[in-house]
């Protein structure tokens, strides 16, 4: 068995990151993913570089393994008919066109469910299919700004800062996976498909979790706190003799052990620091004391001492250091794949470790249109018809 989703066919007409990231996860789990790309330009991320490897952009390669690629002109009548044939034999459509685009082409959910009543369509947009912003384009950066995320990211006295990766896209991809798997379960019970309306904005707002809850309960607008935590102290970065590390003291018992390790057991006995609520109130006094205590040893020395005492901590690794970490290597989070043009293609692994149906890296990120002919042949088109499609710029 290739995976938990073996036998599930996904028609993916999404581009860039949120949709492709979602379909890659489902592909890792065994689904058959057909990536449909524009017949002239393909997924935009194919050109998002450098870096490139043998003409393939690193950006594209990060989110497109375990897929087949075919090109298709969805504005042509022949292209629409091909798409409908694919949908008739498929289970899921993932799309991230602007609201209403597929509907105008006669390929919206209401149209396609007439062909396949069991169809599940995941429609990813910036702001959703309803509401005053439904027709606006949505990009990760814009969503990070409008959702409030940037207002709480960065140093207290600095400017708002975006997260270093397209986190709104990634979260939306994950939420879309959850929605699709839920819809598949519903379909298994009742035999009916449905449309999933999911937006980057909604997903990013949902991810604000305790910060949003703090505002809703207190009425106080959260502010940027840099590397500090709004509810827990000490829970931040600290300098050592050779760099910075993160210390995350999550409860009073940990604080007692932490105080002993840094040579200040008296801190845990002082009334203003004994409990987290008091530490939060008196952090301006406590933090400098801890900073002074940590300057006397290296990151490695403190890590060993904190690990032995059960104090959550970790050095601030760069990406190169992260991929060299023995834990990352042991967990299979760095994977080598075969590729027709790239020698020793390396990609990040999957965090999904299923004991009975493990994920597999079966297919390299496809070349542009690599499987167009074979997919068309599979759904009944002859070599002559495929040649004519090429001549008429249908594929």
């Amino acid at each position: 068995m290739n995976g938990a989703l073996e036998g599930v066919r996904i028609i993916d007409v999404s581009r860039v990151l949120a949709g492709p990231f979602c379909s890659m996860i489902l592909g890792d789990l065994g689904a058959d993913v057909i990536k449909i790309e524009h017949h002239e330009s393909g997924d935009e991320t194919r050109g998002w570089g450098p870096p490139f490897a043998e003409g393939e952009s690193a950006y594209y390669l990060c989110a497109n393994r375990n897929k087949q690629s075919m090109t298709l002109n969805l504005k042509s009548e022949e292209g629409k008919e091909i798409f409908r044939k694919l949908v008739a034999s498929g289970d899921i459509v993932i799309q991230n066109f602007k609201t209403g685009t597929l509907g105008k082409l006669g390929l919206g959910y209401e149209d396609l469910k007439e062909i396949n009543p069991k169809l599940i369509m995941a429609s990813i947009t910036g702001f959703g299919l309803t509401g005053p912003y439904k027709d606006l384009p949505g990009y990760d950066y814009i969503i990070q700004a409008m959702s409030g995320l940037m207002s709480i990211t960065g140093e207290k006295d600095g400017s708002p800062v975006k997260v270093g990766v397209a986190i709104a896209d990634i979260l939306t991809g994950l939420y879309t996976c959850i929605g699709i798997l839920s819809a598949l379960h519903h379909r298994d019970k009742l035999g009916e498909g449905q449309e999933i309306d999911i937006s980057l904005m909604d997903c990013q707002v949902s991810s604000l979790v305790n910060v949003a809850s703090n505002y809703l309960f207190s009425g106080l607008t959260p502010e940027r706190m840099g590397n500090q935590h709004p509810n827990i102290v000490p829970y931040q970065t600290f300098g050592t003799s050779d760099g910075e590390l993160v210390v995350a003291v999550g409860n009073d018992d940990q604080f007692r052990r932490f105080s002993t390790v840094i040579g200040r057991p008296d801190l845990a006995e002082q009334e203003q620091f004994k409990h987290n609520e008091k530490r939060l109130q008196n952090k301006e006094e406590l933090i400098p004391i801890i900073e002074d205590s940590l300057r006397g040893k290296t990151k490695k020395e403190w890590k060993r001492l904190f690990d032995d005492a059960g104090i959550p901590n970790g050095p601030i690794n760069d990406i190169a250091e992260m991929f060299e970490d023995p834990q990352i290597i042991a967990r299979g989070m760095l994977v080598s794949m075969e590729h027709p043009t790239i020698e020793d293609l390396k990609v990040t692994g999957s965090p999904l470790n299923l004991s009975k149906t493990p994920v597999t890296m079966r297919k390299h990120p496809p070349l542009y249109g690599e499987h167009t002919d074979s997919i068309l042949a599979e759904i009944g088109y002859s070599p002559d018809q495929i040649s004519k499609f090429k001549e008429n710029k249908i594929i």
Side-chain angles (χ1 to χ4, degrees):
M1 185 173 187
N2 285 329
L5 296 180
E6 183 180 17
V8 174
R9 169 162 281 190
I10 297 171
I11 314 301
D12 183 9
V13 286
S14 67
R15 303 98 58 220
V16 187
L17 189 54
F21 185 68
C22 170
S23 62
M24 182 181 73
I25 294 171
L26 300 173
D28 287 352
L29 290 167
D32 172 26
V33 181
I34 296 176
K35 180 181 180 69
I36 295 181
E37 303 188 61
H38 191 277
H39 66 295
E40 293 179 335
S41 55
D43 189 319
E44 295 96 308
T45 62
R46 288 185 179 276
W48 287 9
F52 293 96
E54 301 300 328
E56 301 292 302
S57 77
Y59 200 118
Y60 166 78
L61 293 169
C62 82
N64 285 286
R65 65 174 175 250
N66 283 332
K67 302 177 187 181
Q68 302 178 78
S69 169
M70 73 172 291
T71 61
L72 194 60
N73 180 357
L74 288 175
K75 292 184 178 180
S76 68
E77 290 306 316
E78 296 96 330
K80 292 176 186 178
E81 184 57 32
I82 291 170
F83 185 71
R84 292 187 184 103
K85 282 193 174 184
L86 288 169
V87 169
S89 65
D91 299 283
I92 297 155
V93 170
I94 300 174
Q95 65 97 5
N96 65 350
F97 292 104
K98 286 181 65 176
T99 300
T101 297
L102 283 184
K104 293 175 183 177
L105 296 174
L107 301 174
Y109 175 67
E110 295 300 321
D111 304 299
L112 298 179
K113 75 175 184 180
E114 297 298 320
I115 302 168
N116 184 351
K118 293 185 177 182
L119 179 70
I120 295 164
M121 175 180 276
S123 295
I124 301 171
T125 56
F127 297 97
L129 302 182
T130 59
Y133 299 162
K134 66 181 177 66
D135 296 318
L136 297 179
Y139 289 85
D140 178 275
Y141 201 171
I142 305 303
I143 299 301
Q144 288 198 41
M146 294 182 66
S147 67
L149 178 63
M150 286 179 63
S151 77
I152 59 170
T153 306
E155 293 301 326
K156 184 174 182 178
D157 298 324
S159 298
V161 176
K162 71 179 180 69
V163 177
V165 297
I167 192 66
D169 279 332
I170 294 302
L171 288 169
T172 301
L174 293 171
Y175 273 110
T176 305
C177 279
I178 295 169
I180 286 171
L181 295 175
S182 299
L184 278 172
H185 182 65
H186 174 81
R187 192 184 72 175
D188 287 344
K189 291 192 299 181
L190 299 182
E192 62 182 8
Q194 60 183 299
E195 184 174 24
I196 302 166
D197 169 9
I198 191 159
S199 81
L200 274 69
M201 186 70 156
D202 294 348
C203 293
Q204 190 61 73
V205 169
S206 174
S207 75
L208 295 177
V209 288
N210 63 296
V211 176
S213 187
N214 287 349
Y215 166 73
L216 293 173
F217 277 81
S218 71
L220 300 176
T221 301
E223 299 177 346
R224 290 184 296 284
M225 299 188 66
N227 290 316
Q228 296 185 2
H229 194 284
N231 303 107
I232 309 172
V233 173
Y235 202 103
Q236 63 181 77
T237 58
F238 289 101
T240 68
S241 64
D242 67 345
E244 291 186 303
L245 83 163
V246 171
V247 174
V249 176
N251 57 54
D252 295 338
D253 180 60
Q254 287 181 2
F255 183 68
R256 283 189 289 273
R257 285 181 273 132
F258 172 77
S259 299
T260 299
V261 171
I262 68 173
R264 292 296 306 269
D266 58 298
L267 294 176
E269 302 303 322
Q270 295 181 34
E271 196 61 37
Q272 70 267 37
F273 304 139
K274 185 179 293 186
H275 301 294
N276 181 69
E277 182 180 357
K278 290 292 186 180
R279 293 195 294 275
L280 191 63
Q281 293 172 359
N282 297 288
K283 66 179 182 180
E284 301 302 327
E285 180 183 353
L286 175 62
I287 296 305
I289 297 173
I290 296 174
E291 289 175 333
D292 288 340
S293 300
L294 293 181
R295 289 195 182 102
K297 290 183 173 63
T298 67
K299 292 186 294 183
K300 285 187 176 180
E301 289 173 328
W302 282 122
K303 179 164 179 55
R304 184 176 64 253
L305 291 169
F306 289 146
D307 286 348
D308 290 345
I311 307 299
N313 75 98
I316 299 178
N317 291 331
D318 61 27
I319 303 301
E321 290 170 325
M322 177 275 292
F323 275 121
E324 294 169 357
D325 190 297
Q327 182 69 14
I328 297 301
I329 295 170
R331 295 288 290 177
M333 289 306 296
L334 177 60
V335 177
S336 293
M337 297 188 71
E338 292 185 0
H339 189 277
T341 62
I342 302 170
E343 184 177 351
D344 190 26
L345 171 64
K346 287 184 169 59
V347 296
T348 56
S350 170
L352 299 171
N353 294 286
L354 284 71
S355 63
K356 300 295 184 182
T357 53
V359 301
T360 54
M361 309 297 174
R362 306 177 307 285
K363 298 183 178 75
H364 61 266
L367 301 176
Y368 175 54
E370 180 178 352
H371 305 95
T372 302
D373 290 9
S374 60
I375 293 170
L376 289 173
E378 179 190 330
I379 58 175
Y381 291 100
S382 69
D384 286 343
Q385 288 175 304
I386 295 172
S387 295
K388 289 181 180 178
F389 287 150
K390 292 177 181 177
E391 291 173 9
N392 295 327
K393 297 184 178 180
I394 306 305
I395 56 176

